Amino acid sequence: TNKCAFKCSYALVNGTGVDVVKDPITDPGKKSKKGKLTLQRMTSGKWVTVVEGAGMPDRDHLVEVFRDGRLLVERDMKSIRARSELGVAQLPKP
């Protein structure tokens, strides 16, 4: 296997947005983030995930990769790692 996991935090069900969360009673440390997520880079350089739609869409660096089973963007790990190391001023605009 590829040892890969796809996570879901938000879904549209019959046109209605629904937050999706995993919160196992046997291991509270495995609780997942829920709702629409944004990935924002702070001026300090730290990456922060903002949950439940509270983020700023114009600062969101998440990229939709799959939709309806189709691959929309193809990137290799080398380019993903290189982008994560860029300084805040060097990041491409979301």
Side-chain angles (χ1 to χ4, degrees):
T1 66
N2 291 331
K3 295 188 180 182
C4 177
F6 294 92
K7 307 295 183 185
C8 176
S9 63
Y10 181 83
L12 283 176
V13 179
N14 296 324
T16 302
V18 178
D19 291 348
V20 177
V21 64
K22 173 185 73 174
D23 190 6
I25 59 172
T26 56
D27 190 351
K30 289 188 175 182
K31 183 175 181 178
S32 64
K33 294 176 171 89
K34 71 176 178 177
K36 286 188 175 182
L37 307 176
T38 56
L39 180 64
Q40 298 174 194
R41 188 82 178 258
M42 308 309 285
T43 54
S44 67
K46 181 179 177 185
W47 289 102
V48 176
T49 303
V50 183
V51 299
E52 298 185 58
M56 294 181 271
D58 61 322
R59 293 185 59 199
D60 185 14
H61 286 274
L62 287 178
V63 176
E64 185 175 15
V65 176
F66 291 98
R67 178 181 292 175
D68 298 328
R70 289 182 298 124
L71 181 64
L72 304 176
V73 177
E74 191 167 340
R75 293 197 176 124
D76 61 26
M77 282 304 294
K78 183 177 179 180
S79 66
I80 292 168
R81 286 186 178 118
R83 182 177 168 170
S84 74
E85 296 298 326
L86 292 174
V88 176
Q90 299 169 302
L91 284 171
K93 295 291 179 197

